[in-house]
Amino acid sequence: MIKDIIAKILFLPLFLLLFVACDDSVTYSDMKEKERSAVNHFVKDKGINIISFSEFVANDSTTDVLKNEFVEVDDVYMQIVNNPVDAADAFTIADGDSRNMLVRYSEYNILDGDTISANNFMGEADEMRVSNNGGTFSATFTSGVMKSIYGNSVPTGWLVPLRFLKFTRSQSNLAKVNIIVPHSKGTTTAAMYVYPCLYQITFQPENSYVVEDEE
């Protein structure tokens, strides 16, 4: 199954290249408008309630899943499904920290209406190395499906939730989010071909200690 997903991803750029070559009238502005329309339709179709950032902060940085609330942060629509703030071992990624994070995810292309990659049915999670430098998060994939398809670069949209989450290794209480990511915050392929994605992501710290930088 994973081979089929990777093959689909690899075929997509070729298909889009041929499509664009046959229609030179399609501009970047047109593609962005199509993306916005697809996101708006998806939000309406799924009954998503977009709340303001001020409402989000006033609600202790939570989104009400029962009301299907998402908050817009840095052009990303984010729903915090679970945030283990009360767990005894819960922690944030503090300024200056670097940690290995295991992630399970699914990637749904909103424009095409198709799941284009996922690892939530596999035995092993993807792994990424996350760093916090002065409140600015960065990350690289070190193993897994995302790395095999897109390389080491983690979409910047994936980094948005890290500012608001706490993390625990407890399988029953993992940090989990749904995020709608525009092409400008997505993978290199999404950025090139201008499509938005819905990601469902679960985060689990690989270890409960800080990963020291290698000499």
Side-chain angles (χ1 to χ4, degrees), residues 28-138:
Y28 178 57
S29 179
D30 293 333
M31 296 170 78
K32 288 196 298 181
E33 181 57 37
K34 188 175 182 180
E35 177 187 43
R36 282 192 293 267
S37 178
V39 170
N40 290 338
H41 184 271
F42 182 81
V43 167
K44 182 178 180 180
D45 184 60
K46 299 301 182 182
I48 293 172
N49 178 25
I50 305 297
I51 63 173
S52 67
F53 187 73
S54 59
E55 290 177 283
F56 175 69
V57 172
N59 293 331
D60 296 323
S61 299
T62 62
T63 52
D64 191 330
V65 177
L66 294 179
K67 295 180 180 179
N68 205 15
E69 288 181 347
F70 280 65
V71 59
E72 184 175 2
V73 185
D74 295 339
D75 299 324
V76 171
Y77 291 146
M78 174 182 69
Q79 180 181 64
I80 298 178
V81 179
N82 187 58
N83 193 4
V85 293
D86 296 324
D89 64 339
F91 64 90
T92 59
I93 301 177
D95 183 16
D97 280 2
S98 292
R99 294 180 181 264
N100 285 352
M101 193 72 66
L102 302 177
V103 292
R104 294 193 178 278
Y105 80 97
S106 64
E107 180 185 34
Y108 178 82
N109 183 327
I110 292 173
L111 193 61
D112 289 344
D114 189 22
T115 297
I116 54 177
S117 78
N119 74 350
N120 47 14
F121 55 84
M122 299 176 63
E124 293 186 3
D126 284 28
E127 180 182 278
M128 64 182 189
R129 178 76 174 271
V130 181
S131 298
N132 179 0
N133 295 296
T136 298
F137 286 88
S138 60

